[in-house]
Amino acid sequence: MKIGVQTGGIEEHIGIDACYQLIREAGFDAVDVNLDHLLPPSEIKAGKRAAAFAGTDEEILAYFRPWKEAAEKHGLDNYQAHAPFPSYVVDPTGEYNAYLMHVLEKTIMGCAYIGCRRLIIHPFFLGYPDQVDARTEWETNISRYAALIPAAKRYGVTICLENMFMRYRGKIYAACCSDIDTACRYVDALNEMAGEKVFGFCLDTGHLLLTSQDVKTSMLKLGDRIQAFHVHDNDGWDDQHLAPYMGRLDWKRFEEGLREIGYDKTLSFETFNVMNVVDRELWPQALKFIEQAGRLFARRAV
């Protein structure tokens, strides 16, 4: 099993090439590429557009090139990537949500260009108090994910859904795909529409904890639908993106889940906040701790 970590939390401070070098020196095999940096959440919520998704395909791919070159230079696998999010906003005219579909299609193209075959695209949902009824949410997600099938097939990229949460007045609420049975139905329905396995699931351990879902039970239900992980910990109240054992997740249950589903793909950590809570001089040691936690889980998963 390969062990990976996200580029976010590091590359913003020291650049993409130095980020990959630091990750490689810490012993990781792979990365989770934060392609969402090309159009950050704050800009999406403000209705802005990004230069990275304008122009010809060749011009667009130039924005993805640094991640491709860094992976090749430092011998790391761009195993999975995170598309810009949120992928759906309150939009009375529908114009901006149409633009977001263009962004996702070009991100699929860019994902393949950098040698990455799994792209996490957040479900299309609205947060509290704007959320819609369950049927409308289902129909919206099926419609929009289905529209991405041609691009996914063309570029050979698996689209991964993710279990989500939402926040309102300091309170965490369940959101799209936090119910794992529903998440399984999404993946199965979309793959049936595609006629092949175009869709998978990225299981976020921190989000499971926030929405009071047992990690092992969730893993057993999803089974081989799991194509990627966002592994991180928290205190059960905030989405803190901490390293394992720094919060309240039951890591024994996580190990048992890995073992019982026979997971043998890359185990990737989404622990960017660790870089915010330790001094930069300690980043190598902090990353090494995360990498060693991954090796521990991999050994115990056999």
Side-chain angles (χ1 to χ4, degrees):
M1 189 186 302
K2 291 184 177 180
I3 308 301
V5 71
Q6 70 179 129
T7 62
I10 305 172
E11 66 178 42
E12 307 96 306
H13 301 282
I14 63 175
I16 293 173
D17 183 76
C19 168
Y20 274 68
Q21 179 177 346
L22 186 63
I23 289 172
R24 174 76 271 183
E25 289 174 349
F28 289 95
D29 312 296
V31 297
D32 180 346
V33 188
N34 279 97
L35 298 180
D36 52 291
H37 288 170
L38 294 173
L39 182 59
S42 60
E43 294 187 12
I44 291 176
K45 292 173 184 177
K48 295 183 179 180
R49 302 186 180 221
F53 299 103
T56 66
D57 286 353
E58 184 178 353
E59 290 170 330
I60 291 171
L61 289 177
Y63 286 90
F64 291 81
R65 190 172 299 126
W67 288 293
K68 174 182 174 66
E69 292 176 346
E72 293 171 350
K73 177 180 177 181
H74 298 289
L76 285 166
D77 176 20
N78 282 331
Y79 177 79
Q80 64 190 62
H82 213 311
F85 65 92
S87 52
Y88 192 64
V89 296
V90 176
D91 178 20
T93 69
E95 182 181 356
Y96 194 72
N97 279 325
Y99 170 70
L100 289 177
M101 290 297 289
H102 163 78
V103 167
L104 294 175
E105 289 175 352
K106 296 306 180 184
T107 304
I108 292 170
M109 176 184 72
C111 190
Y113 173 70
I114 67 172
C116 180
R117 296 300 169 186
R118 293 163 182 82
L119 180 65
I120 292 90
I121 297 180
H122 282 185
F124 306 93
F125 72 102
L126 298 177
Y128 193 104
D130 298 311
Q131 72 265 31
V132 297
D133 62 273
R135 180 175 179 178
T136 301
E137 185 173 86
W138 172 270
E139 292 174 349
T140 299
N141 275 276
I142 293 296
S143 173
R144 291 176 75 83
Y145 276 122
L148 296 173
I149 290 174
K153 285 186 173 182
R154 177 182 178 185
Y155 294 108
V157 172
T158 298
I159 297 173
C160 295
L161 289 70
E162 181 179 349
N163 50 307
M164 304 306 297
F165 73 94
M166 54 188 167
R167 185 191 307 275
Y168 185 67
R169 294 181 177 177
K171 169 69 176 175
I172 296 293
Y173 293 86
C176 193
C177 289
S178 64
D179 179 86
I180 301 302
D181 291 319
T182 302
C184 292
R185 288 198 295 272
Y186 269 121
V187 175
D188 294 346
L190 289 165
N191 280 333
E192 184 175 356
M193 293 177 68
E196 58 184 274
K197 289 187 177 181
V198 173
F199 294 88
F201 204 79
C202 174
L203 187 61
D204 189 301
T205 63
H207 295 178
L208 287 175
L209 183 57
L210 291 174
T211 55
S212 301
Q213 306 293 313
D214 175 58
V215 64
K216 179 180 176 180
T217 302
S218 299
M219 292 164 72
L220 294 181
K221 286 182 178 181
L222 285 161
D224 64 4
R225 298 178 185 87
I226 299 176
Q227 291 293 312
F229 274 99
H230 282 163
V231 181
H232 57 105
D233 209 345
N234 60 60
D235 63 3
W237 297 100
D238 292 303
D239 193 28
Q240 295 169 306
H241 289 269
L242 300 174
Y245 308 110
M246 293 183 177
R248 296 181 179 273
L249 194 83
D250 188 337
W251 294 103
K252 289 293 183 184
R253 297 279 290 174
F254 178 68
E255 293 167 3
E256 292 168 3
L258 287 175
R259 185 165 58 251
E260 292 192 29
I261 68 172
Y263 187 78
D264 59 358
K265 304 176 185 67
T266 294
L267 191 63
S268 190
F269 290 83
E270 195 182 37
T271 46
F272 67 89
N273 200 38
V274 174
M275 303 305 113
N276 295 324
V277 298
V278 303
D279 190 278
R280 191 175 299 187
E281 288 191 20
L282 296 176
W283 280 7
Q285 293 89 340
L287 282 169
K288 190 64 181 177
F289 173 79
I290 296 166
E291 184 264 348
Q292 286 295 291
R295 302 295 176 195
L296 176 67
F297 297 150
R299 288 198 305 274
R300 292 180 176 175
V302 177

